[in-house]
């Protein structure tokens, strides 16, 4: 009996064929992908998914929303308004959802990401 693990049914060449070289990915695509991932994770931590409160964690949500706001603020001049506008809308929705989910809402301008976006009102 051999101590080596069985070989995978996929060879490294198959895996390489399924991935793109990061050098070929435009920066805007990387930024937008990261932003969408942050938005999705924040929505889960805010309890906005089908699972509801199962994964709700407002401390984690605050970190994710703040990171998203920082990314969008830092990349505002690098990505077109075509990409930025829906991301900003999504960010605002998450900020408002955070305020609604909080037992003691933050003061205007003190909520997650508001140091980058300014106060968010409904």
């Amino acid at each position: 009996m051999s101590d080596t693990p069985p070989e995978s049914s996929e060879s490294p060449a198959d895996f390489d064929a399924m991935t793109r070289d990061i050098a070929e990915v435009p920066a805007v695509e990387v930024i937008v992908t990261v932003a969408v991932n942050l938005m999705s994770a924040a929505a889960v931590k805010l309890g906005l998914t089908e699972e509801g409160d199962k994964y709700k964690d407002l401390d984690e949500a605050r970190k994710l929303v703040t990171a998203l706001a920082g990314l969008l603020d830092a990349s505002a001049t690098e990505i077109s308004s075509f990409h930025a506008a829906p991301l900003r809308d999504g960010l605002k929705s998450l900020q408002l959802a955070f305020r609604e989910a909080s037992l003691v809402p933050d003061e205007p301008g003190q909520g997650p990401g508001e140091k980058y976006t300014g106060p968010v009102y409904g």
Side-chain angles (χ1 to χ4, degrees):
M1 182 148 216
S2 172
D3 289 336
T4 58
E7 289 187 28
S8 170
S9 62
E10 291 186 29
S11 71
D14 292 335
F15 179 75
D16 290 341
M18 295 182 335
T19 61
R20 282 200 299 181
D21 184 3
I22 195 69
E24 296 175 10
V25 180
V28 170
E29 186 176 331
V30 173
I31 293 166
V32 170
T33 299
V34 169
V36 169
N37 285 328
L38 286 167
M39 292 175 88
S40 297
V44 169
K45 296 297 184 178
L46 285 168
L48 302 176
T49 60
E50 289 179 10
E51 293 86 9
D53 290 345
K54 182 176 179 182
Y55 300 108
K56 189 173 183 177
D57 184 334
L58 294 183
D59 184 52
E60 291 288 301
R62 178 183 294 276
K63 293 171 188 170
L64 292 163
V65 172
T66 299
L68 174 62
L71 174 64
L72 294 182
D73 182 56
S75 62
T77 60
E78 305 300 328
I79 61 176
S80 67
S81 58
F82 173 79
H83 292 96
L87 294 173
R88 283 192 302 265
D89 290 345
L91 171 60
K92 182 178 180 181
S93 295
L94 290 169
Q95 289 171 310
L96 292 171
F98 184 93
R99 186 173 302 282
E100 186 176 305
S102 297
L103 294 176
V104 180
D106 297 313
E107 293 294 320
Q110 302 301 308
E114 291 183 0
K115 70 180 176 181
Y116 300 109
T117 64
V120 175
Y121 302 101

